Amino acid sequence: MDDIKLTKLANCAGCGAKVGAGVLASLLEDLQVHNDPNLLVGFDKSDDASVYKVTDELALVQTVDFFPPIADDPFTFGAIAATNALSDVYAMGGEPKLALNIMAVPKDMPKDAIHEILKGGYSKVYEAGALITGGHSILDDEPKYGLSVTGFVHPDKLIRNIGAKPGDVLFLTKPIGMGIITTAAKVDMVSKETYDYALKLMMTLNKNARDIMVKYDVHACTDVTGFGLLGHASEMATGSDVELHIDVDSIDLLSEALELATIGILPEGMYRNRDFAEKYVDPGDCILAKQDMLYDPQTSGGLLIAVDSKDADAFYDELKNNVPSAQRIGVVKEKMGDKYIYIH
């Protein structure tokens, strides 16, 4: 098992393997949506998970997420994949409760490596206070792992990726640049210190951010994953019919990732995200390398949160000691221009 290099077994890594947002929308556009008054959020929306009302006090939050290896170490890969899947429930303001493993493995993959992937996933599910109760596995040429997760939320406390209001303050809870770092790591172009830090970030649950978020007047939230910051921000802006004004200098861009972006070391998913989202974005004078980072597909990224301005200072004070990187990155304004996102 010490000789296995999981990332060498896959063409894409982590959320970089995600189907582009534009392609995904075209694939779903003709599917019939059945009406059910208890279905609060379905697949016809761009939200992070589906939500079904069970009673006036309880709604189920359901999501599924899996991907090819983002790390060579099996335990680390499993932990990152599980953290990423759990994040969708946190982004809706929910608490994960049950999870099912989803796994694909090559027939000649060592048993110990498979066990370590599952062990990594279990470690994060249990850290979240949830339970793994089973799952499904198949043989495949490329390894893949993830979870189907069910969580609970009060129907009246559900947080969606739409609903941001003019005057809201935008916060982000993890640095940006994981896609670039993991891409560079495949060809040994990143320092061990930065790579290890990126792995640690991807294994950090968004639980603390969620637990703080639900105490305040939050109007919208999404986790920043495969579509990149600007891809997910564009869904928030268009769905809320508002403008997001983002201060790029307030965003925690991993310094080594910015250096790599400057010389053109970029994941394929960055170009897909740009193709989808750039029509919504006025980049202003932002340099190209920083723009590229804002389109960089993140694996197990942080939460992008729109908070009522009256709560912004208190929210930030609590957030900054409890998440990897508390960033106050911009504001929400009334829709006035021909774009939805303005970078300053």
Side-chain angles (χ1 to χ4, degrees), residues 118-133:
L118 292 171
K119 188 176 176 181
Y122 273 64
S123 72
K124 287 299 169 179
V125 171
Y126 294 151
E127 183 182 337
L131 298 171
I132 290 183
T133 58

Side-chain angles (χ1 to χ4, degrees), residues 15 18 24 43 47-51 61-67 80-90 92 98-103 135-136 144-151 223 225 227:
C15 286
K18 197 170 183 176
L24 183 60
F43 78 86
D47 270 292
D48 296 293
S50 63
V51 183
V61 184
Q62 289 193 307
T63 187
V64 60
D65 211 317
F66 67 103
F67 47 59
I80 292 171
T83 301
N84 184 72
L86 291 161
S87 184
D88 287 341
V89 176
Y90 290 133
M92 306 289 287
L98 300 174
L100 298 172
N101 288 313
I102 300 169
M103 174 172 267
H136 185 67
K144 302 173 183 71
Y145 177 67
L147 299 172
S148 171
V149 185
T150 298
D223 63 339
T225 55
F227 298 154

Side-chain angles (χ1 to χ4, degrees), residues 72 78 84 157 231 245 260 270 304:
D72 286 325
N84 184 72
K157 297 180 180 179
H245 288 252
L260 291 162
M270 189 286 298
L304 173 65

Side-chain angles (χ1 to χ4, degrees), residues 312-334:
D313 290 341
F315 179 76
Y316 179 66
D317 285 342
E318 188 170 359
L319 196 67
K320 63 186 178 183
N321 294 320
N322 291 285
V323 300
S325 178
Q327 305 150 64
R328 187 170 181 157
I329 68 167
V331 296
V332 180
K333 295 186 178 182
E334 183 180 352

